[in-house]
Amino acid sequence: MLTFDKLYSEGHEEVVFFSDPSCNLKAIIAIHDTTLGPALGGTRMWPYASIDDAIEDVLRLSKGMTYKAAVSGLNLGGGKAVIIGDPKVDKSEALFRSYGRYLESLNGRYITAEDVNIGVEDIEHVFTETSNVVGVAQIHGGSGNPSPYTARGVFKGIEASCTKVYGDRSLKGKVVALQGAGSVGRHLGSFLEKSGAKVLFTDINESNIDLFKEQVPSSEFVGVDDIYDVNCDIYAPCALGATVNDKTIDRLKCKIVAGAANNQLAEPRHGDILKEKNILYAPDYLINAGGLMNVSIEFEGWSDDKATRMVDTIYDTTMNVFKISDEENVPVYKATDLLAEKRIEAIRGIQGGYLGHLPHRFPGRKIR
Ligand code: NAD
């Protein structure tokens, strides 16, 4: 159940429920923290079993976005939205336009984008009613598919990890166990192959396996469960969260865990165990922030060059997190949180949240 104690305990500013029975819209938006700028985060559509499940999800995800934007140096806060429904039957133009009108009423405090089960075509309907949306089609000034930028950022995080562990950022001759040959995994595979790494990969989807083999011809397929046991330098989880858990952690033979998946550690204590085992963990929400960086510049005018330069900063930020981790003698996941929290606290001192106005970097744009 949603209570003020719950909101206070995790620092959420605002939770809004929107409903429109005419198109069966049931949406919840959580704005976690707008100290650094307007809250940005995608909208997810999911047939939640209960309202409580939807609330839990939106609160957790919106807080994660605050940390991701903060550590990435973006002038954005954290927010997320969920639409309760079955994407196969409940999607309609009316629903997304109604949702867009409600978003408009938030006056720019929350900017949305795609997330699970929400595609560009849905976002285009939202964009008909509000300008507070990113990830719109390139033809309308958007940035298109974020996956190549996410993959590039993950690659930069892997390079930083190699610098830390092997004293050289080069991937030449390194073996990478890549789990999840989807949109991000495929692009990451290409970066790794081009840099001279050997890629062992797995997936459960036949067509994605074929596509990966086509795009990364030197790669080798391994069984879905064998990916944890292979001899490798780097384990790159790019499918699901929580794959570093009690069942897998002792099987990993790598020196580095670095991938695109969100929430790779089943529990924070697994980050401590990795440190004890002398396995370097590159923080997931930092090294997978390339997609967020990419959409964040839509308001000021997106370009591939600008997005690429931003994403490449992930190398230095990751090195900085490793330095803090060493200096403070804390696991990397804690050092990443510290860096994010420090930045928010520093800015909170000079301004409050964005209540009802857009900062000058987000002037809005004409709706479609
Ligand atoms: P995707 O759905 O395109 O690819 C995921 C792949 O993982 C699919 O091919 C799927 O078959 C595979 N998979 C699922 N279960 C598996 C299992 N048990 N073992 C092996 N493979 C399995 O998703 P994506 O966009 O490539 O995202 C990958 C991960 O990165 C997700 O966790 C996502 O949340 C995260 N992420 C993605 C982006 C982005 O820009 N797309 C940004 C940040 C984080």
Short mmCIF file of all heavy atoms in Angstrom, two decimals, residues 68 146-147 150 179-185 202-205 208 224 238-241 260-262 288 291, ligand 1:
data_model
loop_
_atom_site.label_atom_id
_atom_site.label_comp_id
_atom_site.label_asym_id
_atom_site.label_seq_id
_atom_site.Cartn_x
_atom_site.Cartn_y
_atom_site.Cartn_z
N LYS A 68 20.86 6.83 -11.91
CA LYS A 68 21.49 6.68 -13.22
C LYS A 68 21.82 8.04 -13.82
O LYS A 68 22.92 8.27 -14.32
CB LYS A 68 20.55 5.90 -14.15
CG LYS A 68 21.15 5.53 -15.47
CD LYS A 68 20.13 4.85 -16.36
CE LYS A 68 20.35 3.40 -16.47
NZ LYS A 68 19.79 2.73 -17.63
N PRO A 146 17.90 3.37 -29.12
CA PRO A 146 19.01 3.67 -28.19
C PRO A 146 20.03 2.54 -28.04
O PRO A 146 21.13 2.76 -27.53
CB PRO A 146 18.29 3.90 -26.86
CG PRO A 146 17.05 3.07 -26.95
CD PRO A 146 16.66 3.04 -28.40
N SER A 147 19.69 1.32 -28.50
CA SER A 147 20.54 0.15 -28.18
C SER A 147 22.01 0.29 -28.62
O SER A 147 22.91 -0.09 -27.86
CB SER A 147 19.95 -1.12 -28.78
OG SER A 147 18.68 -1.33 -28.25
N THR A 150 23.66 2.35 -26.01
CA THR A 150 23.80 1.59 -24.75
C THR A 150 24.98 0.63 -24.88
O THR A 150 25.83 0.55 -23.97
CB THR A 150 22.51 0.80 -24.45
OG1 THR A 150 21.43 1.72 -24.37
CG2 THR A 150 22.61 0.03 -23.15
N GLN A 179 25.90 -12.96 -22.24
CA GLN A 179 24.58 -13.58 -22.05
C GLN A 179 23.50 -12.65 -22.58
O GLN A 179 23.33 -11.54 -22.06
CB GLN A 179 24.37 -13.81 -20.55
CG GLN A 179 23.05 -14.45 -20.19
CD GLN A 179 22.89 -14.53 -18.69
OE1 GLN A 179 23.09 -13.54 -17.98
NE2 GLN A 179 22.54 -15.69 -18.19
N GLY A 180 22.79 -13.07 -23.62
CA GLY A 180 21.71 -12.23 -24.17
C GLY A 180 22.14 -11.59 -25.47
O GLY A 180 22.83 -10.56 -25.48
N ALA A 181 21.73 -12.21 -26.59
CA ALA A 181 22.14 -11.72 -27.91
C ALA A 181 21.04 -10.85 -28.52
O ALA A 181 20.72 -10.98 -29.69
CB ALA A 181 22.45 -12.92 -28.81
N GLY A 182 20.45 -9.99 -27.71
CA GLY A 182 19.36 -9.13 -28.19
C GLY A 182 19.89 -7.83 -28.77
O GLY A 182 21.02 -7.77 -29.28
N SER A 183 19.07 -6.77 -28.68
CA SER A 183 19.42 -5.49 -29.32
C SER A 183 20.76 -4.96 -28.83
O SER A 183 21.60 -4.55 -29.62
CB SER A 183 18.36 -4.43 -29.04
OG SER A 183 17.10 -4.96 -29.18
N VAL A 184 20.96 -4.95 -27.50
CA VAL A 184 22.21 -4.41 -26.97
C VAL A 184 23.34 -5.43 -27.15
O VAL A 184 24.44 -5.09 -27.61
CB VAL A 184 22.07 -4.03 -25.47
CG1 VAL A 184 23.40 -3.52 -24.93
CG2 VAL A 184 20.97 -3.01 -25.27
N GLY A 185 23.05 -6.70 -26.81
CA GLY A 185 24.07 -7.74 -26.87
C GLY A 185 24.71 -7.85 -28.25
O GLY A 185 25.92 -7.99 -28.37
N THR A 202 25.41 -16.73 -25.41
CA THR A 202 24.25 -17.61 -25.29
C THR A 202 22.97 -16.81 -25.39
O THR A 202 22.95 -15.59 -25.18
CB THR A 202 24.28 -18.42 -23.97
OG1 THR A 202 23.35 -19.47 -24.07
CG2 THR A 202 23.94 -17.54 -22.77
N ASP A 203 21.88 -17.50 -25.75
CA ASP A 203 20.55 -16.88 -25.78
C ASP A 203 19.53 -18.00 -25.85
O ASP A 203 19.89 -19.15 -26.07
CB ASP A 203 20.42 -15.93 -27.00
CG ASP A 203 19.31 -14.91 -26.81
OD1 ASP A 203 18.14 -15.31 -26.80
OD2 ASP A 203 19.62 -13.72 -26.64
N ILE A 204 18.25 -17.65 -25.64
CA ILE A 204 17.21 -18.67 -25.71
C ILE A 204 16.34 -18.49 -26.96
O ILE A 204 15.46 -19.28 -27.21
CB ILE A 204 16.30 -18.62 -24.45
CG1 ILE A 204 15.81 -17.18 -24.20
CG2 ILE A 204 17.03 -19.14 -23.22
CD1 ILE A 204 14.73 -17.08 -23.14
N ASN A 205 16.64 -17.45 -27.72
CA ASN A 205 15.79 -17.12 -28.87
C ASN A 205 16.55 -17.45 -30.17
O ASN A 205 17.59 -16.84 -30.46
CB ASN A 205 15.45 -15.62 -28.76
CG ASN A 205 14.65 -15.11 -29.93
OD1 ASN A 205 15.01 -15.33 -31.08
ND2 ASN A 205 13.57 -14.42 -29.63
N ASN A 208 17.41 -14.61 -32.64
CA ASN A 208 18.45 -13.71 -32.13
C ASN A 208 19.83 -14.39 -32.15
O ASN A 208 20.85 -13.73 -32.37
CB ASN A 208 18.11 -13.22 -30.72
CG ASN A 208 17.09 -12.11 -30.74
OD1 ASN A 208 16.71 -11.63 -31.82
ND2 ASN A 208 16.62 -11.67 -29.59
N VAL A 224 22.83 -22.37 -22.57
CA VAL A 224 22.25 -21.30 -21.75
C VAL A 224 22.80 -21.33 -20.31
O VAL A 224 23.13 -20.29 -19.73
CB VAL A 224 20.70 -21.41 -21.75
CG1 VAL A 224 20.08 -20.46 -20.73
CG2 VAL A 224 20.16 -21.10 -23.13
N CYS A 238 23.67 -9.44 -20.51
CA CYS A 238 22.90 -8.51 -21.34
C CYS A 238 21.49 -9.04 -21.58
O CYS A 238 20.88 -8.76 -22.62
CB CYS A 238 23.59 -8.29 -22.67
SG CYS A 238 25.22 -7.55 -22.51
N ALA A 239 20.98 -9.84 -20.64
CA ALA A 239 19.63 -10.38 -20.82
C ALA A 239 18.77 -9.98 -19.63
O ALA A 239 17.97 -9.03 -19.72
CB ALA A 239 19.69 -11.90 -20.96
N LEU A 240 18.96 -10.68 -18.54
CA LEU A 240 18.10 -10.51 -17.37
C LEU A 240 18.86 -9.90 -16.21
O LEU A 240 20.09 -9.94 -16.19
CB LEU A 240 17.63 -11.90 -16.90
CG LEU A 240 17.12 -12.85 -17.95
CD1 LEU A 240 17.12 -14.26 -17.40
CD2 LEU A 240 15.72 -12.41 -18.36
N GLY A 241 18.09 -9.43 -15.22
CA GLY A 241 18.71 -8.97 -13.97
C GLY A 241 18.96 -10.16 -13.05
O GLY A 241 18.58 -11.31 -13.35
N ALA A 260 25.04 -5.05 -19.82
CA ALA A 260 23.98 -4.06 -20.01
C ALA A 260 22.77 -4.26 -19.09
O ALA A 260 22.00 -3.33 -18.86
CB ALA A 260 23.48 -4.13 -21.46
N ALA A 261 22.58 -5.48 -18.60
CA ALA A 261 21.35 -5.76 -17.86
C ALA A 261 21.24 -4.88 -16.62
O ALA A 261 22.25 -4.55 -15.99
CB ALA A 261 21.33 -7.24 -17.47
N ASN A 262 20.01 -4.52 -16.30
CA ASN A 262 19.77 -3.74 -15.08
C ASN A 262 19.77 -4.68 -13.88
O ASN A 262 19.40 -5.85 -14.00
CB ASN A 262 18.41 -3.05 -15.16
CG ASN A 262 18.45 -1.87 -16.11
OD1 ASN A 262 19.35 -1.02 -16.02
ND2 ASN A 262 17.51 -1.81 -17.03
N ASN A 288 25.40 1.15 -18.44
CA ASN A 288 24.32 1.00 -19.42
C ASN A 288 23.53 2.29 -19.64
O ASN A 288 22.43 2.29 -20.19
CB ASN A 288 23.39 -0.19 -19.07
CG ASN A 288 22.46 0.09 -17.90
OD1 ASN A 288 22.26 1.23 -17.49
ND2 ASN A 288 21.85 -0.95 -17.37
N GLY A 291 22.00 4.72 -23.48
CA GLY A 291 20.68 4.95 -24.09
C GLY A 291 20.01 6.18 -23.49
O GLY A 291 19.39 6.98 -24.20
P1 NAD B 1 16.34 -7.57 -25.82
O1 NAD B 1 15.01 -8.06 -25.38
O2 NAD B 1 16.51 -7.07 -27.21
O3 NAD B 1 17.44 -8.74 -25.63
C1 NAD B 1 17.47 -9.57 -24.52
C2 NAD B 1 17.94 -10.94 -25.01
O4 NAD B 1 18.11 -11.79 -23.88
C3 NAD B 1 16.93 -11.63 -25.93
O5 NAD B 1 17.57 -12.07 -27.11
C4 NAD B 1 16.43 -12.80 -25.10
O6 NAD B 1 16.08 -13.94 -25.87
C5 NAD B 1 17.63 -13.07 -24.22
N1 NAD B 1 17.34 -13.84 -23.03
C6 NAD B 1 16.25 -13.80 -22.23
N2 NAD B 1 16.37 -14.70 -21.24
C7 NAD B 1 17.57 -15.31 -21.40
C8 NAD B 1 18.26 -16.31 -20.68
N3 NAD B 1 17.75 -16.90 -19.60
N4 NAD B 1 19.50 -16.69 -21.12
C9 NAD B 1 20.04 -16.13 -22.23
N5 NAD B 1 19.41 -15.17 -22.94
C10 NAD B 1 18.19 -14.78 -22.54
O7 NAD B 1 16.77 -6.48 -24.75
P2 NAD B 1 17.91 -5.36 -24.89
O8 NAD B 1 17.26 -4.10 -25.30
O9 NAD B 1 19.05 -5.91 -25.65
O10 NAD B 1 18.34 -5.19 -23.36
C11 NAD B 1 19.18 -6.13 -22.72
C12 NAD B 1 19.30 -5.78 -21.25
O11 NAD B 1 19.88 -4.48 -21.12
C13 NAD B 1 17.97 -5.73 -20.51
O12 NAD B 1 18.19 -6.17 -19.19
C14 NAD B 1 17.64 -4.24 -20.49
O13 NAD B 1 16.83 -3.89 -19.39
C15 NAD B 1 19.02 -3.63 -20.37
N6 NAD B 1 19.12 -2.26 -20.92
C16 NAD B 1 18.81 -2.04 -22.21
C17 NAD B 1 18.93 -0.75 -22.74
C18 NAD B 1 18.63 -0.46 -24.18
O14 NAD B 1 19.02 0.62 -24.69
N7 NAD B 1 17.99 -1.35 -24.91
C19 NAD B 1 19.34 0.31 -21.91
C20 NAD B 1 19.67 0.03 -20.57
C21 NAD B 1 19.55 -1.26 -20.09
#
